[in-house]
């Protein structure tokens, strides 16, 4: 039996296979109100039809100024819930599970009049503004905004929630020494903001719902942190309540002495393996894993529990079906309407 097609179970989440569609912003909310559109409905449902085990909705922001652009999704209002509920309901019809990535762009919020961050340090590049450092009271209020977005996600029927702590966005800005030079409690303990967000979200999600967190395992900028630092971050976040880690890298600035990231297939798998072994937690690996044999190998070798395929799934909504069919034709389970093609 192809390992890629084997079920995965953790707490109350059972996936029919090990294939994950990771969050990928669509920048398609033409009304700029944060509410999913027909594009999002077709985009996500088509991947469910295509056999994906777990779909994670793109970065969805906790306040309007938390968006990368005004064309991004949000969950800052109860009025946005029905549009997400519609997507969830249809995705479930095809045997897929669906989660949502909750986040805040922080200093990378390009359309915010005045972005906010851990500290008043601008992201490099002419299109980025210098952010305003959040006050201590505002940080605590931001934790509540994450909690409320998670509550709305649960009400919409999501099967899991992923916290975005990677790619140079707000939580990453707090836990990186490069972007957090605060003198309050959130500067003295750089993991504290993330820990409080986790604890707040745990208050409003079902006890059997796994909580996922995405982390940049290494920074590539001059003076950026490495795997030892991120391992300890993940240890703190696991203690706070994270169940599964989704391991990526970079996103916090221009490449410097931290070394240029690889672009070869599987270049980020070692990060997933390291966190899995150090903390004994399930992990999701990502990064040029769209060759079915490679995806099968990283599961078979024990490097990861789940395989995320991003750009490969943008090219092919039916990647999961095609990959499982390539590994073991008899195990592919297309919708009955498409069975004659398999």
């Amino acid at each position: 039996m192809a390992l890629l097609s084997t079920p995965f179970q953790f707490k109350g989440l059972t996936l029919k296979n090990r294939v994950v569609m990771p969050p990928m912003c669509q920048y398609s909310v033409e009304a700029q109100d944060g509410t999913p559109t027909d594009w999002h409905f077709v985009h996500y449902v088509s991947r469910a039809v295509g056999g994906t085990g777990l779909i994670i909705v793109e970065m969805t922001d906790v306040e309007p100024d938390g968006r990368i652009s005004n064309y991004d999704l949000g969950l800052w209002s109860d009025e946005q819930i029905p549009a997400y509920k519609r997507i969830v309901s249809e995705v479930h019809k095809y045997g897929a599970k669906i989660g949502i990535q909750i986040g805040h762009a922080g200093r990378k919020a390009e359309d915010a009049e005045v972005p906010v961050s851990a500290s008043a340090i601008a992201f490099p590049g002419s299109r980025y503004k210098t952010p305003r450092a959040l006050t201590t009271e505002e940080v605590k209020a931001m934790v509540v905004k994450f909690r409320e977005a998670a509550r709305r996600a649960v009400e919409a029927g999501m099967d899991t929630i992923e916290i975005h702590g990677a790619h140079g966005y707000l939580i990453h800005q707090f836990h990186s020494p490069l972007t957090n030079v605060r003198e309050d409690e959130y500067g003295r303990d750089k993991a504290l903001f993330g820990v409080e967000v986790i604890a707040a979200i745990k208050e409003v999600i079902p006890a059997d719902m796994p909580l996922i967190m995405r982390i940049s395992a290494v920074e590539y900028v001059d003076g950026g942190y490495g795997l030892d630092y991120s391992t300890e971050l993940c240890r703190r976040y696991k203690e706070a309540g994270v169940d599964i880690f989704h391991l990526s890298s970079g996103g916090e600035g221009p490449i410097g002495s931290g070394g240029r990231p690889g672009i070869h297939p599987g270049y980020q798998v070692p990060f997933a393996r390291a966190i899995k072994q150090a903390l004994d937690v399930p992990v999701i690996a990502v990064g040029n894993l769209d060759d079915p044999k490679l995806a099968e190998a990283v599961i078979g070798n024990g490097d990861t529990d789940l395989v995320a395929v991003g750009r490969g799934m943008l090219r092919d909504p039916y990647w999961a079906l095609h990959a499982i069919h390539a590994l073991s034709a008899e195990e592919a389970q297309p919708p009955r309407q498409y069975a004659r093609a398999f």
Side-chain angles (χ1 to χ4, degrees), residues 30-333:
E30 297 299 330
Q32 301 188 16
D33 61 357
T35 303
T37 67
D38 285 346
W39 171 265
H40 298 93
F41 180 84
V42 173
H43 174 64
Y44 292 114
V45 174
S46 64
R47 274 68 188 179
V49 173
T52 308
L54 174 62
I55 294 163
I56 304 178
V57 173
E58 66 206 77
M59 178 172 160
T60 302
D61 300 288
V62 303
E63 65 175 2
D65 280 348
R67 293 172 290 178
I68 301 169
S69 81
N70 287 342
Y71 295 92
D72 292 334
L73 292 179
L75 252 182
W76 59 77
S77 169
D78 288 357
E79 294 179 358
Q80 295 163 324
I81 295 172
Y84 290 100
K85 188 175 293 187
R86 175 176 175 243
I87 294 171
V88 171
S89 177
E90 196 69 16
V91 162
H92 284 164
K93 290 180 182 178
Y94 301 100
K97 298 298 173 64
I98 183 168
I100 190 167
Q101 185 187 71
I102 294 174
H104 190 295
R107 68 177 187 162
K108 294 177 80 174
E110 297 177 30
D111 289 341
E113 184 174 348
V114 181
V116 297
S117 185
S119 301
I121 302 171
F123 190 87
S126 59
R127 72 176 188 266
Y128 296 103
K129 307 176 183 77
T130 299
R132 176 180 64 80
L134 291 162
T135 67
T136 302
E137 292 71 25
E138 287 173 329
V139 177
K140 295 182 185 302
M142 188 68 72
V143 172
V144 176
K145 292 177 182 179
F146 271 85
R147 184 189 68 199
E148 288 301 288
R151 175 187 60 78
R152 296 182 183 105
V154 171
E155 188 171 334
M158 294 292 175
D159 299 297
T160 185
I161 288 171
E162 177 173 286
I163 300 170
H164 201 348
H167 301 160
Y169 297 117
L170 187 61
I171 293 176
H172 187 161
Q173 290 161 31
F174 269 84
H175 69 221
S176 173
L178 292 176
T179 46
N180 183 350
V181 295
R182 303 173 66 92
E183 296 182 353
D184 66 355
E185 59 195 290
Y186 295 102
R188 292 189 295 273
D189 180 356
K190 291 179 171 52
L192 181 59
F193 177 54
V195 165
E196 290 186 349
V197 167
I198 293 162
I201 289 176
K202 296 287 282 189
E203 292 175 359
V204 296
I205 65 174
D208 65 346
M209 176 185 284
L211 182 60
I212 305 171
M213 190 166 192
R214 199 168 204 190
I215 291 290
S216 285
V218 300
E219 294 181 316
Y220 299 116
V221 299
D222 289 334
Y225 67 70
L227 190 56
D228 288 344
Y229 185 89
S230 63
T231 298
E232 292 311 306
L233 276 177
C234 289
R235 194 182 307 279
R236 289 285 306 281
Y237 293 154
K238 177 188 176 184
E239 291 170 355
V242 172
D243 297 295
I244 300 170
F245 286 98
H246 190 173
L247 280 308
S248 187
S249 61
E252 72 299 321
I255 297 167
S257 59
R260 180 167 295 277
I263 57 171
H264 54 275
Y267 72 98
Q268 295 184 121
V269 170
F271 305 143
R273 179 175 61 242
I275 298 299
K276 178 178 174 63
Q277 291 177 346
L279 302 183
D280 190 26
V281 290
V283 295
I284 306 171
V286 68
N288 291 352
L289 295 174
D290 51 333
D291 182 324
K293 291 183 179 178
L294 176 58
E296 180 81 353
V298 298
I299 295 172
N301 291 337
D303 298 326
T304 188
D305 300 274
L306 299 165
V307 172
V309 176
R311 288 171 176 81
M313 211 172 285
L314 290 181
R315 292 190 296 270
D316 179 7
Y318 305 99
W319 186 90
L321 275 176
H322 292 153
I324 292 170
H325 184 266
L327 294 168
S328 179
E330 65 274 11
E331 291 174 31
Q333 297 179 337

